[in-house]
Amino acid sequence: MALPKLPGNYINKNLGKDKFHKSQHFDYSNGVPMLVGLEKPGIGRELLPGQKTRPNYSVYPKGQGSETPQWVAFDKHVLCFDAFFQEAVPQKREEKHRVRKCKIYFYLEDDTIQVVEPEVKNSGIPQGTLIRRHRIPLPPPDDERFYTVHNLNINSPVVLYSRTFTITDCDAFTRNFLRKIGVRLNASTSPPPDPYSDLRQQMEENMKPLRPYERQDTLQQFLDHDRNVLRFYCYWDDSENMFGDPRELILHYFLADDTIEIREVIYPNSGRDAAPKLLRRSKLPKTTVPSHQPGVITGRTVLNVFGPMGQGGRYILDSLKTGAVAEEFYKDHDLSLGVVINVWGRRVVICDCDNFTKEYYRSKYAIEDFSPVQYKAPLSPNPPRPVPPYNGFGSEEDSLCSCQGLLPKPPQKDFRKLMEKDRQGLDSNVLRFTGKMVTNSPIDSERLFIISFFLSDDTVSVFEPPQRNTGVLGGRFLERGRVKKPGQELFKSDLSEYVSAQDLYVGARISLNNQVFQLVDADEYVFSYMERHSDQFPRSNIDTILSKIRSLPEDKHNEITQFLNLSDPGNTGLIHYEPFRGLLLALECGLSEHEVMMVGRCFCERQEPEEDVGLMLAVTQEHLRKKHFESFSEMSRAFIHQDQQKTGRLSTEEVKTICKAFQMPVPDDLFRAVLHKFASGSEELDYNAFLSGINWRENPVPPVLPDNNALKFDRETRGPGVTKINYTVLLGDVFGSVKNNTNPTL
């Protein structure tokens, strides 16, 4: 009967207790936060009825250093033990029990155990993994705990699921690890003998002959040299026989099995049938012997000891090979350059070999001399095929292709040059020059022509712009095509020479279909292109031009310096281009007009021309007027909707997007120039002023006259002109009299 809970009638269990907290579901196990679950203790970590203190994993001595979790510190660390267990074999006379050897693996990262039995050939029992990897509980009554590293030791039994394993030994890593954690290891033992295994081993030994046969191992040679073939180029002179002639052969020696295969080289139109092989793959004997009877050539010979021949006789192996028939075959050491081999009565000379064969003999036999044997006279050079002269039909290239084959083909164009020099964006790859006729006619001498040279296919076209009050209609003067140089014979075998890009420069005279033109000017693209490719255009190479000036005598240097100083009374270091041009042309150094212009471009003081806003707006309104564009009110509402801050300004990208949405018909380069002018160097612009400037309905700008060159603003951007020359830098670079560390190229 329980006593009433009055003072003095029961023992207070909380006396001396200082922890009354409620235990939580989470706790640290080996330094790793884990969920405890049902193993949660009671108040103040006091064990509840039926709970026992048990570690989740093996407990190891704490070392120095960082407290790394167990699954990280012992990752891929496994203890290996050698063990065995006995298995009863009922109802069998040969054996009562069987000893089975296995290995026990203990994984330190999570205390899991795996038992593996090595497979034995023809054992008749399932082997391999006996117990898969997992945590194994201890035998009852401690089955609530699991095996740890302290439960495993040498020469001690381990019960795993009612099967007793006896550990006999362990590896070096396991032995070292157990000693470090303080486990005293027992002495190693050997497993007991297995009666059935001993019986099987004795039976296998009795099956082996007392005198073993000679082993002929060819597998190793096959594995080492499979698909390794030596190739020799051979020669067989069969001219002594009737209708015989020299033959070229290819000998293949297979290193995998020392066999030889010979193929014949059959040239086209040789009159011979293309036989697949001259000698099929087989071993080639050194001497030609008659074929042996079946059974004469064998790998082993036997001796008849006693008894009749055939059944009932007694035979033994002939170790001395007294009755063996020896036969020699060609090996790799018998083949070399210049050696004559016997191919079933045919004398074949080895003349040459391939690179793999040379490397094989160089590495194995240290042979360095691989001089080929010359077995045939060198081929005579092919006689030149004369090309018939041009007959006047079609182009010269087309007529030449009709002479190169029975089936005439069209001449091939330089496709690579066409793709590289074709128009790519703003890079037109077209050289445009301004030219005049060289004639005595005063009217024709004032006519201007635009001569265009296309770099993609080396063609030339001439266009004459219309001029007022000249009495000459402008237009196409010469259709685009290749132009021959003058002074060439028409009907000849060699191809004619055509006008190339190197023949065109300012000041040059070219003849286009018997009409001589003199090039007087060029556009900015021509000068910049020739400067970038100065190796192809020597008249645009500034170093070559300056070297010509340096080659002048010393008195000319003084005259040049004196002339430049007199032309600059203010000592500003600058001189106008016209007197500078006259000075260079008067020098006796062979400078052309193009070279003088290149010097002026290199040492000039350039000034960017002021852009005319009225001109840009006039051209823009002209484009909008021609396309009947009147969506200015809709664009204004779109600008106001986009301007959420109501500042009256938008970024150039937003303005460009809105204008593209309304499909404003203005060229891109002109549109970018107008936006840049209204932005004034900032990223935003006043869209009201922009709309007012392009609105040709409300704010019309006076139109531009048709003959005004300003109409070409949206088609071609002209570079800054050359007005003044910095002659001080020129004198410093040419004569070294003035030192200037700045770069003269602008």
Side-chain angles (χ1 to χ4, degrees):
M1 182 175 180
L3 296 176
K5 293 183 178 181
L6 297 176
N9 294 335
Y10 68 97
I11 300 175
N12 190 1
K13 298 181 180 179
N14 295 329
L15 292 177
K17 188 175 181 180
D18 55 353
K19 294 182 179 181
F20 299 94
H21 64 276
K22 184 178 181 181
S23 300
Q24 59 182 355
H25 290 270
F26 300 94
D27 198 358
Y28 283 88
S29 178
N30 293 330
V32 180
M34 298 182 64
L35 177 65
V36 179
L38 299 177
E39 299 178 358
K40 181 185 69 172
I43 300 298
R45 297 190 63 84
E46 184 178 356
L47 296 178
L48 298 176
Q51 286 186 346
K52 297 181 181 180
T53 58
R54 55 191 177 107
N56 290 334
Y57 298 99
S58 299
V59 180
Y60 307 116
K62 294 184 178 180
Q64 297 180 357
S66 60
E67 296 183 358
T68 308
Q70 179 181 359
W71 54 273
V72 176
F74 298 112
D75 184 26
K76 298 181 181 180
H77 290 186
V78 183
L79 305 182
C80 180
F81 298 92
D82 296 334
F84 72 93
F85 66 94
Q86 292 186 1
E87 183 181 30
V89 182
Q91 300 178 358
K92 198 170 183 180
R93 184 185 62 180
E94 291 83 0
E95 54 180 346
K96 300 300 181 182
H97 65 277
R98 184 174 299 169
V99 178
R100 300 176 62 176
K101 300 177 183 178
C102 58
K103 288 185 176 294
I104 300 177
Y105 297 100
F106 184 86
Y107 295 86
L108 296 173
E109 55 181 327
D110 52 0
D111 287 358
T112 55
I113 296 177
Q114 181 184 12
V115 181
V116 178
E117 182 182 7
E119 296 183 0
V120 180
K121 185 178 180 180
N122 297 329
S123 62
I125 55 177
Q127 294 176 324
T129 302
L130 300 181
I131 302 177
R132 61 178 179 84
R133 177 182 173 182
H134 66 287
R135 298 182 67 191
I136 300 177
L138 293 173
D142 300 327
D143 52 352
E144 74 277 358
R145 293 186 301 162
F146 297 92
Y147 275 98
T148 62
V149 69
H150 297 280
N151 301 116
L152 304 177
N153 203 335
I154 299 176
N155 202 6
S156 61
V158 178
V159 180
L160 304 179
Y161 295 118
S162 302
R163 178 173 289 180
T164 303
F165 294 83
T166 303
I167 299 176
T168 59
D169 201 356
C170 63
D171 57 359
F173 172 77
T174 305
R175 191 180 300 272
N176 187 24
F177 181 82
L178 294 177
R179 286 176 178 175
K180 285 183 178 180
I181 64 175
V183 177
R184 181 175 295 179
L185 295 175
N186 301 328
S188 302
T189 60
S190 58
D194 184 14
Y196 183 73
S197 299
D198 297 342
L199 179 61
R200 286 282 302 269
Q201 184 177 2
Q202 185 178 2
M203 292 175 59
E204 292 178 358
E205 291 179 354
N206 293 335
M207 294 174 60
K208 295 181 181 180
L210 299 179
R211 176 173 294 212
Y213 293 109
E214 296 180 3
R215 184 178 181 182
Q216 297 179 356
D217 186 12
T218 58
L219 178 60
Q220 186 64 34
Q221 181 183 0
F222 172 79
L223 296 177
D224 294 342
H225 301 288
D226 185 26
R227 298 189 180 183
N228 293 342
V229 183
L230 306 181
R231 176 181 293 180
F232 296 92
Y233 302 99
C234 307
Y235 172 73
W236 170 36
D237 189 3
D238 192 30
S239 58
E240 297 179 357
N241 298 329
M242 183 179 297
F243 307 112
D245 56 352
R247 308 279 190 90
E248 295 184 20
L249 309 175
I250 296 179
L251 186 146
H252 292 156
Y253 184 88
F254 298 88
L255 296 174
D257 53 359
D258 298 331
T259 55
I260 292 178
E261 174 189 80
I262 299 179
R263 293 176 176 268
E264 184 178 1
V265 180
I266 305 295
Y267 290 101
N269 300 327
S270 62
R272 295 186 176 276
D273 294 335
K277 298 176 184 178
L278 182 68
L279 176 67
R280 66 177 179 85
R281 180 177 175 181
S282 60
K283 289 189 176 183
L284 181 61
K286 293 184 178 181
T287 59
T288 304
V289 295
S291 59
H292 299 279
Q293 296 296 329
V296 176
I297 303 299
T298 58
R300 303 179 181 90
T301 58
V302 295
L303 296 178
N304 185 5
V305 180
F306 59 89
M309 295 291 294
Q311 188 176 3
R314 297 294 183 267
Y315 303 92
I316 63 173
L317 182 65
D318 184 10
S319 59
L320 300 179
K321 297 182 179 180
T322 56
V325 178
E327 192 173 9
E328 296 184 2
F329 298 95
Y330 280 103
K331 300 288 186 175
D332 55 348
H333 57 80
D334 299 323
L335 305 178
S336 61
L337 300 185
V339 174
V340 179
I341 61 175
N342 180 19
V343 182
W344 298 105
R346 297 166 180 84
R347 293 171 52 85
V348 177
V349 183
I350 299 178
C351 302
D352 201 357
C353 59
D354 60 356
N355 294 329
F356 173 77
T357 307
K358 294 178 182 179
E359 186 63 29
Y360 175 80
Y361 279 94
R362 186 181 293 111
S363 59
K364 185 175 182 179
Y365 298 105
I367 298 177
E368 297 294 339
D369 186 13
F370 296 99
S371 301
V373 178
Q374 298 295 336
Y375 59 91
K376 59 182 178 179
L379 298 177
S380 59
N382 295 328
R385 292 194 305 174
V387 180
Y390 174 56
N391 54 11
F393 294 96
S395 62
E396 295 182 4
E397 293 80 3
D398 192 11
S399 298
L400 180 61
C401 290
S402 64
C403 302
Q404 293 177 350
L406 295 177
L407 298 177
K409 298 180 180 179
Q412 294 184 357
K413 297 182 179 181
D414 192 351
F415 186 74
R416 179 183 294 274
K417 182 178 180 180
L418 178 64
M419 297 302 296
E420 292 178 354
K421 298 299 182 180
D422 195 13
R423 183 180 182 90
Q424 299 176 358
L426 299 178
D427 194 2
S428 63
N429 286 315
V430 179
L431 306 182
R432 294 183 176 88
F433 297 86
T434 303
K436 289 185 177 181
M437 284 186 178
V438 180
T439 180
N440 297 328
S441 175
I443 298 178
D444 293 339
S445 60
E446 297 298 329
R447 296 167 63 182
L448 292 178
F449 299 89
I450 297 177
I451 302 174
S452 302
F453 185 86
F454 299 86
L455 297 172
S456 59
D457 53 358
D458 296 340
T459 55
V460 180
S461 67
V462 181
F463 178 82
E464 182 180 6
Q467 299 182 15
R468 300 181 64 183
N469 300 327
T470 59
V472 179
L473 295 177
R476 182 185 301 173
F477 185 82
L478 177 64
E479 190 176 358
R480 178 178 175 180
R482 301 177 67 186
V483 179
K484 295 182 181 180
K485 293 183 179 180
Q488 302 184 68
E489 186 181 355
L490 178 59
F491 301 103
K492 60 184 185 302
S493 300
D494 299 332
L495 296 178
S496 301
E497 296 182 2
Y498 295 88
V499 176
S500 61
Q502 286 72 20
D503 300 329
L504 304 179
Y505 56 91
V506 179
R509 289 192 177 190
I510 59 174
S511 177
L512 304 178
N513 295 344
N514 298 328
Q515 179 61 52
V516 181
F517 291 88
Q518 184 173 7
L519 306 183
V520 297
D521 198 1
D523 60 0
E524 179 66 23
Y525 179 79
V526 174
F527 292 109
S528 60
Y529 181 84
M530 290 186 176
E531 287 176 355
R532 294 196 305 268
H533 303 82
S534 58
D535 54 339
Q536 303 177 11
F537 302 93
R539 287 183 174 82
S540 298
N541 193 339
I542 190 63
D543 296 334
T544 305
I545 301 173
L546 295 181
S547 63
K548 292 182 180 180
I549 303 177
R550 294 191 190 99
S551 62
L552 294 174
E554 189 67 25
D555 54 348
K556 290 290 184 180
H557 295 181
N558 299 331
E559 293 180 6
I560 294 173
T561 306
Q562 185 179 2
F563 177 82
L564 294 176
N565 292 332
L566 292 177
S567 301
D568 184 21
N571 198 16
T572 59
L574 302 176
I575 185 176
H576 289 282
Y577 176 74
E578 289 301 329
F580 177 76
R581 171 180 172 273
L583 172 64
L584 293 184
L585 292 178
L587 296 177
E588 298 177 356
C589 57
L591 292 180
S592 62
E593 183 70 26
H594 190 94
E595 293 174 332
V596 173
M597 297 178 69
M598 293 304 301
V599 175
R601 286 173 54 87
C602 183
F603 298 96
C604 70
E605 182 185 18
R606 298 189 178 183
Q607 296 179 358
E608 295 289 339
E610 188 69 22
E611 295 181 354
D612 191 356
V613 182
L615 174 62
M616 290 190 295
L617 293 179
V619 177
T620 304
Q621 290 187 6
E622 184 69 20
H623 282 281
L624 297 178
R625 186 184 296 107
K626 289 182 179 180
K627 298 296 182 180
H628 304 287
F629 183 83
E630 299 181 359
S631 303
F632 301 107
S633 58
E634 292 82 357
M635 291 179 62
S636 178
R637 288 193 293 269
F639 286 145
I640 295 174
H641 176 74
Q642 189 68 21
D643 185 14
Q644 299 180 0
Q645 304 296 333
K646 306 303 178 184
T647 59
R649 301 180 66 85
L650 289 175
S651 64
T652 56
E653 294 296 330
E654 293 176 344
V655 174
K656 186 183 301 183
T657 303
I658 295 175
C659 292
K660 287 185 177 181
F662 282 91
Q663 299 181 359
M664 193 168 65
V666 179
D668 292 339
D669 50 358
L670 177 59
F671 181 67
R672 288 194 299 266
V674 173
L675 289 182
H676 178 72
K677 198 62 181 178
F678 277 93
S680 300
S682 62
E683 297 181 356
E684 296 182 350
L685 57 86
D686 188 356
Y687 56 83
N688 294 319
F690 172 72
L691 283 177
S692 177
I694 65 175
N695 193 342
W696 59 274
R697 280 290 187 186
E698 299 179 358
N699 303 313
V701 179
V704 184
L705 297 178
D707 59 345
N708 196 338
N709 293 331
L711 284 175
K712 300 180 181 179
F713 175 81
D714 57 330
R715 300 178 185 176
E716 184 182 69
T717 303
R718 299 183 61 86
V722 178
T723 57
K724 294 184 179 181
I725 306 299
N726 191 345
Y727 68 89
T728 56
V729 180
L730 174 63
L731 293 178
D733 289 349
V734 177
F735 307 129
S737 59
V738 179
K739 295 183 179 180
N740 193 348
N741 295 330
T742 60
N743 186 6
T745 305
L746 301 178

